[in-house]
Amino acid sequence: MVKLLAPVLLLALVVAATMVSDRPLPRADFAFVNRGDVSTLDLQKMSWMQDLRVARMVFEGLVENDVFTQGYDVVPAVAERWDISGDGLTYTFHLRDNAKWTNGSPVTAHDFVYSWRRAILPDTAADYTKLFQLIKGAPEFADWRQAQLDAFPDRRFESDEARREAAEALWAETEAKFAEMVRLRALDDRTLEVELKQPTPYFLDLLAFAVFYPVYPPLVRQYESIDPATGLLKVAFGWTKPPHLVSNGPFELTTWRFKRDMFFERNPYYWNPDKLDVDTVLIPSINDPNAAVLAYETGVVDWVSDVTPAYRADMLADKAAFYEENRELVDRLQAEGLDQFEIDRRLPDDPRKNIHAVPAFATYWYNFNCLPTLPDGTPNPFADARVRRAFAMAIDKHAIVEDVMRLGNPVARTLIPRDSIGGYASPDGLESLGDATTEAERADIVRRAKALLSEAGYPSPDDLPTITILFNKDAGHDLIAQVVQKNWQENLGVDVRLEQKEIKVFRDDLKEQNFMVSRAGWYGDYGDPTTFLDINRKDDGNNDRKYHGVRYEELLDEAAVELDSERRMALLGEAERIIMEEDLPMVPLFHYVTIYLFDPDRVSGLNPHPRTTQNMFLIDLLDDGKGRDEARAMRPASAAGSQ
Amino acid sequence: MLGLVVRRLLQLPLIVLVIYTLTLALAWAIPGNPLENPEGRQPKPEVIAAMKRQYNLDSFPRFYASYLASATGFDYARDLLTGEIAREREKAEAAGEPPRQRYVFDFGPSLEYEDWTVNEIVRDSLPVSITLGSIAILIALGVGTFAGIVGAVKPNSLADLATLVVALVGISLPSFVIGTVLLLVFPVWLGLGEVGSSAGPQDMLLPAITLSLPFAAYIARLTRMGMIEALSTDYVRTARAKGVAERVVLLRHALKNAFLPVLSYLGPAAALAMTGSFIVERVFNVPGMGQHFVNGVQNKDLFLIIGVVLVFATMLVLFNLAVDVLYRWVDPRIA
């Protein structure tokens, strides 16, 4: 009998041993589900929203955005003040003397030079290296380094040792070249000077973006080595995780277990301890959309930052019903100019108000291939802007938003979400089928679209080839494509075929222009129209449409050197008007929304601004006896003093 | 017995080498570029090319050899002998920072999770999988054996029929259905337990029950068959004739023999429970290792795929060895 129990005892022993060795974490003041697992905390390499959100918790840049103002005002952070030269080219930042790393060392201007160099170096393969090319000398330096790296593997050496020495010599030369070529200097420990290629009104706003935050050089250098085979600067793994990570933000990352959780505590050396209203934060790794909602329902987390299960549309419908029940009060609060979270806070207690659809700084659209010929060598009808306009007009965007998406996405007539950038006036955009309120108006839009096709040399639908819509699997792209297919077939009489591919194959097809029409989307990176408009420049890596608008580029070039902010915004507005009303290389369908789940009566510090930047150091649990215990509300544009 | 252990342990590297070769060949054939993130911003082609060279992703033979060198400890030994590790330590000490982590058996970086090595991923997730799998097998053993005995004592009775139905359900219902039902009933409707938490052992209970059901069902059938056979043998009849208590007959005499097939099933079952719980991990948000293989394949994360497969293969061999040893100990006639 004892022998029979041996396997049971053995298994029980294994369970006991693993449980004893696995220390449970304490309960955090605030817990939330991030958008996904953090991919990297290497600041210069990050690009995912969830990575950037955590980066803003544990690191701090020269400046930050006041996310509770409509204009996302730039406010001091590590830099207590800055000077801008009269020509708008030279920025001098004065760092505060009490900004410290989590090990107590001061944050210096040299740390920024080192960090920004990492992003400029092609070795790092940083997603956002292009943003750093605004700095004078940076593109030339990157090109020089790239040429050296391209040539290095083919160089012949007598021995492995000689190859290693050559790789290290190349690195030493690279450091010298950087100092010589790139106009980025630490004048002393507390003064950083940067000279730009051209005036860039949004440069300060860019600096609030986490890829411009500093890493701690003495730590990262331990992990760097020069690869003798390629000459590349390699960075080993490990420095971004506790107990090694050294950071300078309000929180310190104390535990990070892979795909399990991240635990944060106050950084004891942070220069502004009063900033925090919570002491600890937990991010459990919850990837299943249903589990995330259940985690909220069962009290494991206080906020779900991206609610994605299919039934979220029903949750929003419930919220709409709740609003309907309180219509009078809602209308009154909206008339007062309150933000949507503040309105929810003032409504009667009800669990239905915990779901929130927040407009995002992002747009979903359909690309038209603008090349003269299609991949099979046949003439491309979409090379003609009139054809593109006609097809764009024949889409019922309202049907997509209301019948397919059902999340309250704003219908898009422009590439840049309206009212998302302070001081920027959006163009009207092209009228399309869904804008019609009567059958007569619909018929008129269809008639005009057909006239455009006729003008372009396609008087009959039979003159056009079968139109193919390319999209990737999942996320409901197929349902959207079906609506568009139906619109084009019914209204223009053309034959439309749907083509669904795996994401990697889809991506390759886009890059090779192996499509006629394809789905696409874009999230803006920084608070300037160029974050959207630049992707339609002829040589931009994201111009999958291969659109080339001469006047469009002239306007962007003019705006790039325009010092007058108002005039610059007008130039950019005109550029957007051209692509949204005349040339239509893409047809915007709707703007994205982000769905949050949190109790507004309990949680404060989240904002409903379309740029959807949430700074976790602003979080306050109301009535928990810690911190301010006061709800924060968005200040309306008039009171925000926008840029 | 010692001979068996030594022989099996000597076979282990060969088995793992064959699995490594086959897995790498298959993983290499998956279309797509592991360095490109289909939904993120794209690095320049030159950068991708340089990174491919750096990770030896541009050549199958080079990748094969370099991975083998690091995973088998060859690279560590070389760096130790050439003083590279000592140099790194000195560099770190000079900067007042801890030296970077080095592994003797280094499974390389994860190409998808940029800050993580495969060693770290295994370190963080394997204990979770082992705990979950062990609890599941314990539950399966308890429930399965009890049901099997009940069924065998009164074959074709209502109790037997009930265990048969439960076993059928356990085997046929997919774990995502069972898991979802358990989630709905306990945390959501009854308010017992939390979802998405992996803070303590209590969070393992529902996933372990879900995971255990197919195993419990199979153990129940094995035990029932073994017990029915054992209860019809002469020694059981003799024991009963001598007036030995029925409980003793069942547990001490019959179960000992009836349990042997269950014991031989335990090796692969335990290995499967600890490694193949992808769906249960997904439904209950358990941060175990089962998900990494599937994610690795989806992302063509070669280092992760191979690392996970090597760990799984080693576990399977070791579990089977442990069961064989136990088997011989329980029933020395087999040796």
Side-chain angles (χ1 to χ4, degrees):
Chain A
M1 194 65 197
V2 175
K3 285 182 178 180
L4 290 186
L5 284 176
V8 176
L9 292 174
L10 203 67
L11 283 169
L13 209 65
V14 170
V15 173
T18 49
M19 280 181 175
V20 166
S21 63
D22 195 19
R23 180 180 59 94
L25 290 172
R27 194 103 190 161
D29 290 344
F30 180 76
F32 73 98
V33 181
N34 209 352
R35 194 160 173 260
D37 286 317
V38 168
S39 160
T40 178
L41 278 185
D42 184 337
L43 292 169
Q44 277 71 52
K45 292 184 77 174
M46 59 178 49
S47 64
W48 293 99
M49 200 182 274
Q50 60 268 29
D51 299 12
L52 293 161
R53 183 177 287 144
V54 172
R56 288 193 301 273
M57 295 173 72
V58 290
F59 289 96
E60 186 175 66
L62 291 166
V63 300
E64 66 188 34
N65 290 116
D66 181 352
V67 296
F68 277 94
T69 58
Q70 195 59 41
Y72 261 41
D73 301 354
V74 172
V75 293
V78 170
E80 60 187 353
R81 63 192 167 84
W82 50 87
D83 311 310
I84 306 171
S85 63
D87 57 7
L89 291 175
T90 307
Y91 287 67
T92 309
F93 295 94
H94 304 279
L95 277 55
R96 62 182 75 247
D97 59 4
N98 56 349
K100 293 208 168 67
W101 295 97
T102 42
N103 61 7
S105 303
V107 178
T108 70
H110 302 281
D111 300 338
F112 282 92
V113 174
Y114 173 84
S115 306
W116 293 11
R117 188 181 73 191
R118 297 184 77 232
I120 295 168
L121 279 167
D123 311 46
T124 329
D127 279 2
Y128 282 108
T129 192
K130 201 174 162 218
L131 298 181
F132 290 82
Q133 301 208 346
L134 295 165
I135 300 170
K136 195 168 184 181
E140 293 80 5
F141 166 77
D143 290 346
W144 173 85
R145 172 72 178 165
Q146 188 63 61
Q148 302 297 316
L149 290 176
D150 288 345
F152 192 84
D154 299 330
R155 285 166 63 181
R156 295 280 163 262
F157 299 96
E158 285 177 3
S159 64
D160 286 348
E161 185 58 20
R163 173 172 279 277
R164 193 174 66 79
E165 281 173 14
E168 278 169 9
L170 174 60
W171 174 245
E173 192 187 352
T174 302
E175 288 189 299
K177 278 277 180 194
F178 181 85
E180 176 196 319
M181 295 173 78
V182 183
R183 307 302 286 268
L184 173 67
R185 279 188 310 230
L187 302 181
D188 56 48
D189 277 357
R190 288 183 51 210
T191 317
L192 179 75
E193 186 186 82
V194 54
E195 194 179 331
L196 304 183
K197 281 190 304 185
Q198 61 196 38
T200 309
Y202 55 91
F203 183 63
L204 280 176
D205 193 276
L206 273 186
L207 297 186
F209 196 44
V211 291
F212 285 87
Y213 290 9
V215 295
Y216 182 58
L219 170 70
V220 183
R221 281 202 192 100
Q222 304 313 308
Y223 291 80
E224 287 178 346
S225 62
I226 306 300
D227 180 35
T230 59
L232 279 166
L233 177 75
K234 282 200 305 185
V235 184
F237 303 84
W239 69 271
T240 53
K241 295 189 289 287
H244 305 292
L245 181 64
V246 177
S247 59
N248 70 325
F251 287 104
E252 183 179 7
L253 177 61
T254 53
T255 304
W256 186 7
R257 297 183 291 189
F258 183 72
K259 277 192 175 278
R260 187 163 175 183
D261 44 38
M262 300 177 97
F263 195 84
F264 305 83
E265 293 174 32
R266 278 171 177 267
N267 168 7
Y269 291 100
Y270 187 62
W271 62 272
N272 185 10
D274 295 340
K275 192 175 193 171
L276 295 181
D277 294 322
V278 290
D279 293 328
T280 51
V281 175
L282 172 75
I283 306 178
S285 166
I286 301 179
N287 288 308
D288 183 78
N290 301 305
V293 173
L294 288 177
Y296 175 80
E297 305 281 352
T298 55
V300 171
V301 295
D302 304 290
W303 174 43
V304 181
S305 67
D306 194 10
V307 182
T308 55
Y311 54 81
R312 63 186 177 156
D314 299 324
M315 295 166 83
L316 286 165
D318 287 345
K319 168 107 181 238
F322 172 66
Y323 265 37
E324 222 27 72
E325 289 162 23
N326 294 278
R327 176 51 53 204
E328 202 180 317
L329 181 56
V330 171
D331 288 346
R332 186 152 49 81
L333 294 171
Q334 279 174 340
E336 282 178 35
L338 297 175
D339 71 60
Q340 65 181 88
F341 297 165
E342 188 57 35
I343 290 173
D344 286 339
R345 211 167 270 135
R346 297 187 189 196
L347 290 174
D349 203 19
D350 192 299
R352 287 177 293 176
K353 69 180 184 179
N354 296 349
I355 186 103
H356 313 267
V358 179
F361 196 42
T363 305
Y364 185 104
W365 71 80
Y366 268 19
N367 286 315
F368 292 118
N369 185 340
C370 299
L371 290 175
T373 52
L374 292 168
D376 61 3
T378 55
N380 177 11
F382 293 108
D384 190 319
R386 288 168 296 190
V387 177
R388 300 197 295 261
R389 275 209 301 279
F391 275 78
M393 288 168 73
I395 298 176
D396 188 343
K397 301 175 188 177
H398 288 268
I400 293 171
V401 163
E402 283 154 25
D403 302 337
V404 179
M405 302 301 291
R406 299 197 303 131
L407 299 175
N409 300 73
V411 165
R413 284 175 72 153
T414 55
L415 179 57
I416 305 168
R418 263 173 224 284
D419 301 324
S420 60
I421 298 168
Y424 181 71
S426 296
D428 290 339
L430 192 68
E431 195 180 15
S432 65
L433 213 55
D435 298 325
T437 49
T438 63
E439 271 312 309
E441 282 177 16
R442 281 177 78 90
D444 182 54
I445 290 172
V446 171
R447 184 191 54 73
R448 281 188 282 140
K450 282 183 174 168
L452 277 169
L453 285 181
S454 190
E455 233 178 84
Y458 304 100
S460 156
D462 298 338
D463 299 329
L464 283 160
T466 300
I467 309 298
T468 311
I469 302 177
L470 175 71
F471 52 92
N472 56 301
K473 272 185 156 179
D474 306 323
H477 301 307
D478 53 341
L479 300 177
I480 296 169
Q482 284 165 23
V483 174
V484 176
Q485 179 187 38
K486 188 165 161 262
N487 287 163
W488 287 348
Q489 282 177 339
E490 284 180 0
N491 299 307
L492 302 179
V494 292
D495 187 22
V496 182
R497 196 168 62 84
L498 304 185
E499 198 172 5
Q500 179 171 264
K501 292 194 176 173
E502 288 294 338
I503 180 81
K504 292 203 178 201
V505 184
F506 168 77
R507 189 85 190 176
D508 285 345
D509 279 356
L510 284 194
K511 290 293 152 207
E512 290 159 18
Q513 285 69 51
N514 187 22
F515 68 92
M516 289 172 89
V517 181
S518 69
R519 80 108 202 151
W522 189 257
Y523 275 77
D525 294 322
Y526 52 90
D528 190 80
T530 51
T531 190
F532 281 96
L533 299 179
D534 276 352
I535 60 173
N536 280 309
R537 276 185 179 273
K538 183 177 172 227
D539 295 326
D540 192 276
N542 292 296
N543 183 359
D544 298 330
R545 302 152 291 285
K546 290 293 163 208
Y547 166 71
H548 181 213
V550 177
R551 177 68 190 134
Y552 179 75
E553 298 225 2
E554 279 172 3
L555 285 163
L556 292 189
D557 290 342
E558 265 181 67
V561 291
E562 177 59 59
L563 289 179
D564 181 83
S565 174
E566 211 171 304
R567 163 107 184 106
R568 180 174 172 276
M569 286 297 188
L571 290 167
L572 295 173
E574 171 61 10
E576 191 185 7
R577 192 197 64 75
I578 288 175
I579 55 165
M580 290 291 99
E581 293 177 11
E582 293 176 8
D583 287 358
L584 272 292
M586 71 249 283
V587 47
L589 298 183
F590 55 83
H591 300 297
Y592 284 96
V593 288
T594 309
I595 313 291
Y596 293 159
L597 192 56
F598 73 92
D599 179 355
D601 292 327
R602 188 164 175 270
V603 175
S604 165
L606 299 170
N607 73 82
H609 193 283
R611 278 175 67 186
T612 46
T613 298
Q614 302 301 344
N615 288 333
M616 305 315 298
F617 48 78
L618 297 170
I619 288 293
D620 190 5
L621 287 174
L622 301 172
D623 301 325
D624 68 341
K626 279 186 191 171
R628 270 162 283 250
D629 273 355
E630 274 173 22
R632 282 177 214 258
M634 279 287 296
R635 274 171 282 161
S638 56
S642 57
Q643 300 169 91
Chain B
M1 186 87 90
L2 189 66
L4 170 85
V5 175
V6 172
R7 207 167 48 246
R8 289 287 192 83
L9 289 179
L10 286 175
Q11 285 169 355
L12 178 64
L14 192 67
I15 295 170
V16 170
L17 183 68
V18 171
I19 291 172
Y20 166 67
T21 308
L22 288 174
T23 311
L24 179 56
L26 290 171
W28 194 271
I30 299 172
N33 179 354
L35 297 172
E36 276 176 15
N37 170 1
E39 298 196 85
R41 273 73 174 165
Q42 307 299 303
K44 289 207 267 184
E46 307 87 61
V47 174
I48 293 275
M51 285 173 73
K52 273 190 167 176
R53 278 201 298 273
Q54 188 182 311
Y55 290 125
N56 293 311
L57 292 167
D58 54 345
S59 151
F60 182 82
R62 262 211 307 282
F63 186 90
Y64 182 91
S66 66
Y67 194 97
L68 210 54
S70 67
T72 54
F74 177 83
D75 280 353
Y76 187 87
R78 184 200 58 208
D79 287 352
L80 196 66
L81 291 173
T82 57
E84 179 61 29
I85 292 176
R87 272 197 296 278
E88 274 178 14
R89 286 218 177 100
E90 279 166 25
K91 194 176 157 191
E93 271 169 29
E97 296 298 330
R100 77 179 176 96
Q101 176 77 53
R102 290 289 298 250
Y103 298 99
V104 178
F105 304 107
D106 189 348
F107 294 128
S110 160
L111 297 173
E112 178 69 11
Y113 306 105
E114 294 178 38
D115 287 7
W116 296 85
T117 61
V118 177
N119 289 60
E120 288 169 333
I121 291 174
V122 172
R123 178 203 66 199
D124 279 5
S125 54
L126 189 59
V128 178
S129 289
I130 290 179
T131 312
L132 174 64
S134 301
I135 299 176
I137 292 295
L138 279 173
I139 295 172
L141 262 176
V143 173
T145 312
F146 177 75
I149 294 172
V150 169
V153 171
K154 289 183 179 171
N156 304 322
S157 65
L158 196 64
D160 186 29
L161 195 69
T163 59
L164 180 72
V165 169
V166 172
L168 203 67
V169 168
I171 289 175
S172 358
L173 266 188
S175 40
F176 66 86
V177 174
I178 297 170
T180 310
V181 170
L182 288 180
L183 269 181
L184 268 179
V185 172
F186 289 98
V188 179
W189 291 345
L190 301 177
L192 297 171
E194 296 173 327
V195 181
S197 167
S198 54
Q202 72 280 3
D203 298 318
M204 287 284 187
L205 206 56
L206 289 184
I209 291 171
T210 310
L211 186 59
S212 73
L213 285 183
F215 298 111
Y218 199 72
I219 289 172
R221 301 323 291 164
L222 280 178
T223 310
R224 182 182 177 275
M225 278 191 300
M227 284 292 283
I228 288 175
E229 201 176 312
L231 288 173
S232 65
T233 55
D234 291 344
Y235 73 88
V236 169
R237 263 201 300 276
T238 311
R240 278 180 173 152
K242 284 200 304 188
V244 176
E246 187 61 17
R247 187 177 54 86
V248 178
V249 169
L250 286 178
L251 297 180
R252 196 169 296 171
H253 297 284
L255 186 61
K256 188 178 172 188
N257 278 338
F259 196 69
L260 285 176
V262 175
L263 194 58
S264 58
Y265 169 68
L266 271 190
L272 195 65
M274 289 177 198
T275 56
S277 51
F278 168 71
I279 292 172
V280 174
E281 285 177 16
R282 177 93 191 169
V283 171
F284 289 95
N285 201 55
V286 178
M289 236 177 120
Q291 55 185 305
H292 299 321
F293 180 74
V294 179
N295 291 341
V297 172
Q298 276 175 354
N299 300 319
K300 202 182 176 181
D301 195 338
L302 287 178
F303 292 95
L304 186 60
I305 296 171
I306 300 163
V308 170
V309 167
L310 291 185
V311 172
F312 284 178
T314 308
M315 278 174 72
L316 193 64
V317 172
L318 292 180
F319 274 113
N320 277 329
L321 174 60
V323 162
D324 282 353
V325 170
L326 267 174
Y327 207 100
R328 281 162 172 75
W329 182 58
V330 172
D331 188 356
R333 287 173 303 175
I334 291 170

